[in-house]
Amino acid sequence: MKIKCLCGNILNDETLKTTNPLMIFSEKDYYDVLESNPKTAEELVDKMPSGSIWECRVCGRLHYFKEGKLDIYKLEKEVFDNS
Ligand SMILES: [Zn+2]
């Protein structure tokens, strides 16, 4: 699958030069998998909850594939805590 970022970059999870695919899942889903006590790494991978975010390598926007729809996030500004 390919999608066009608002900056014009073409995102494709098989083209790591333009796209940084990330996995995302809730802590609860993650701990549920660990508590099911998978015996092998393969079993762990099979049970992992899957959700994905593609980061645009040009502008940094995050494209979150969320339950059948696509949410797009862009960093508004850098925030530093100098306290
Ligand atoms: Zn972009």
Side-chain angles (χ1 to χ4, degrees):
M1 182 177 68
K2 291 179 185 173
I3 55 174
K4 187 174 183 181
C5 183
L6 291 170
C7 75
N9 187 23
I10 303 295
L11 301 179
N12 177 342
D13 62 348
E14 293 173 3
T15 311
L16 302 183
K17 245 171 112 176
T18 63
T19 310
N20 183 22
L22 307 166
M23 293 174 68
I24 185 169
F25 36 79
S26 74
E27 286 188 10
K28 182 191 177 307
D29 289 348
Y30 177 69
Y31 288 118
D32 283 351
V33 170
L34 292 186
E35 283 172 15
S36 75
N37 202 18
K39 303 281 183 277
T40 63
E42 199 171 46
E43 190 183 335
L44 172 66
V45 170
D46 283 347
K47 287 183 171 179
M48 282 299 285
S50 64
S52 61
I53 285 184
W54 291 1
E55 179 186 29
C56 174
R57 289 201 187 267
V58 174
C59 70
R61 281 188 178 88
L62 300 177
H63 301 72
Y64 181 12
F65 298 90
K66 190 177 177 184
E67 293 160 9
K69 68 187 181 96
L70 178 62
D71 284 351
I72 301 173
Y73 300 88
K74 183 173 190 262
L75 184 66
E76 292 182 18
K77 64 175 184 129
E78 296 284 344
V79 177
F80 295 98
D81 183 359
N82 293 320
S83 59

